[in-house]
Amino acid sequence: MKDIILITGAGGLIARELARRLEKDYTVRFLTRKKKHNNEFEWNIQEKTIDDTAFEGVSHIIHLAGANISEKRWTNERKSELISSRVDSADLIVKTLQKKKIKLKSFISASGINYYGTKTTNTIFTENDGPGNDFLSEVVVLWERAADQFKEQNLAERVIKLRTAVVLSEKDGALKKMLPTIKMGIGSPLGSGKQYMPWIHIDDICSIYEFALKNQDMDGAYNAVSPQHTTNENLTKKIAEVLRKPLFMPNVPGFVLKLAFGELADALLEGSRASAGKIQKAGFEFTFPDLKNALENLLYK
C-alpha cells in the first residue's frame, strides 16, 4: 500500500509539478476549490467547509495553499486575504484532523524566504536568524505558526517549513513575467538592481519537497534557496545573455514601481541573501545550483 499524500494549493506552480513526481511512490490527492478529477476534493476556506473524505487514510499533507503575493496591490482587503489563505486554511485542516482523530507522519508547509524581512543587507540569513518587521515577514511568521500547531497539538510526528525563494520556471512566476520585455530587447533591472534575489529552480524546489517526505530526520524550518546568490541586475543580465538579447535600457526607477504597485514595490526593490547550508547539510544536492545553467535548462526546453 502506498502512503497517501494530500496536497493543498492545487492551482499553484509547485503543486502539479510535484504531484507528477510523487505519483510513482505515493497516492496523491488534492484539496481544491472546484473538483475536476477523481483525486480532487473540494474545500472553501472562507466558508470553512471541507470534504473530509479527502483525509481517509492520509499519512502526509503538503500545504501549498496561499494567495499570490505579487498578483495585486496590497490593499487592506488584499493583505487580509494573503494571511487568511495561509493561516485559515491550515486551521481548517487542524479542525478536520481533530474531528477525524488522524495523526500524520508529516505536515510539510510552504513558507517564504521573506521571513527575514524585505530589506537589502550584507547579512546572509540562516534559519537561526529571527524574523523581520515588515508585512511580508508578518505573513510568513503567521504562516509558520499555523504550521507549528500540527506538532503542538500532536497531529503530526514532524512539521517541516520550507522558506521558499523566487521559483524560476518558464511556465509561471517571476521568470515568465520578465521574459517578454527581455525578448523584445527592452528589459532592465528594477530600482538600483543591487537588491539580492534569492532563487531556486522549479525542479529543485520539487526535489526538496520529495526529499523532506522521505528524509525522516528533517524537522523544522529550512531555507529552500539556491546556494548561488544573485542580484536583480545580475539575474536580468543572465536571462538576456542566455536569450542572446541586448540590455541597453536604463533601470526602472523605484518611484515608478511604487506608483504602480504601492507597498508591494518594496518586495521588488529590496532583498537579502539566505543560506542553503542547512538543507545541504541534511543531505540534499541541488541539480541546478548555478544560475546560468538553471536558465539554460528552463529557456532551451
Side-chain angles (χ1 to χ4, degrees):
M1 289 285 290
K2 294 180 180 180
D3 275 2
I4 299 171
I5 297 175
L6 182 61
I7 300 177
T8 72
L13 173 61
I14 296 172
R16 296 294 174 177
E17 295 287 338
L18 177 59
R20 278 193 281 272
R21 289 167 167 254
L22 298 180
E23 282 167 351
K24 179 183 176 183
D25 297 322
Y26 300 90
T27 298
V28 178
R29 297 175 185 166
F30 294 99
L31 277 175
T32 182
R33 283 175 290 185
K34 190 169 183 180
K35 180 183 173 93
K36 295 179 181 177
H37 305 284
N38 289 336
N39 66 338
E40 295 178 345
F41 301 80
E42 291 188 5
W43 68 337
N44 187 306
I45 297 164
Q46 288 73 34
E47 296 179 9
K48 296 181 170 54
T49 59
I50 194 166
D51 182 352
D52 64 10
T53 59
F55 293 81
E56 298 293 342
V58 163
S59 298
H60 312 271
I61 292 178
I62 297 178
H63 186 41
L64 301 175
N68 190 318
I69 292 289
S70 60
E71 192 175 78
K72 301 176 183 176
R73 286 176 71 100
W74 292 348
T75 61
N76 288 337
E77 182 181 1
R78 181 59 174 175
K79 284 183 174 183
S80 296
E81 185 181 356
L82 292 173
I83 293 171
S84 172
S85 62
R86 291 160 170 79
V87 176
D88 293 347
S89 55
D91 289 345
L92 184 55
I93 294 171
V94 164
K95 289 181 173 63
T96 308
L97 292 177
Q98 290 172 330
K99 171 188 168 185
K100 297 185 75 68
K101 295 181 171 55
I102 294 171
K103 183 171 182 178
L104 305 169
K105 292 180 181 178
S106 56
F107 181 84
I108 304 175
S109 178
S111 179
I113 208 69
N114 293 107
Y115 174 87
Y116 306 107
T118 308
K119 54 192 175 185
T120 304
T121 72
N122 290 324
T123 303
I124 300 176
F125 290 100
T126 74
E127 293 81 354
N128 293 326
D129 288 302
N133 58 4
D134 51 52
F135 171 67
L136 276 188
S137 178
E138 177 192 356
V139 170
V140 181
V141 168
L142 293 172
W143 200 357
E144 292 194 358
R145 194 175 296 163
D148 285 335
Q149 65 183 323
F150 286 81
K151 197 166 186 181
E152 292 163 0
Q153 299 190 34
N154 201 32
L155 297 172
E157 293 174 13
R158 53 193 189 111
V159 168
I160 299 156
K161 299 160 291 186
L162 299 177
R163 293 175 180 165
T164 308
V166 173
V167 177
L168 297 185
S169 167
E170 79 286 6
K171 296 177 181 177
D172 203 355
L175 179 59
K176 185 179 179 183
K177 290 176 182 175
M178 295 174 75
L179 287 176
T181 53
I182 295 175
K183 284 180 176 178
M184 290 187 290
I186 55 172
S188 58
L190 305 180
S192 70
K194 295 178 180 177
Q195 66 274 33
Y196 292 102
M197 280 192 68
W199 64 276
I200 188 167
H201 189 291
I202 180 65
D203 286 357
D204 278 331
I205 187 61
C206 289
S207 293
I208 286 177
Y209 275 97
E210 189 173 7
F211 183 77
L213 273 171
K214 296 177 178 178
N215 187 341
Q216 298 299 311
D217 293 331
M218 280 186 67
D219 205 350
Y222 293 82
N223 293 337
V225 57
S226 170
Q228 186 185 79
H229 307 299
T230 192
T231 61
N232 175 267
E233 182 177 33
N234 185 59
L235 174 61
T236 308
K237 287 180 176 178
K238 287 293 181 185
I239 296 170
E241 180 184 337
V242 169
L243 293 174
R244 299 182 178 87
K245 295 292 182 179
L247 272 186
F248 57 86
M249 298 293 287
N251 292 23
V252 180
F255 76 87
V256 172
L257 292 171
K258 289 183 178 181
L259 284 172
F261 298 109
E263 188 180 348
L264 168 58
D266 291 339
L268 305 174
L269 295 169
E270 302 290 342
S272 288
R273 294 167 292 181
S275 170
K278 185 179 179 183
I279 190 74
Q280 289 178 306
K281 192 174 180 180
F284 181 77
E285 295 183 7
F286 287 84
T287 303
F288 297 101
D290 178 79
L291 179 59
K292 187 177 179 184
N293 289 344
L295 291 171
E296 287 175 342
N297 171 264
L298 292 168
L299 300 178
Y300 289 158
K301 282 183 178 179

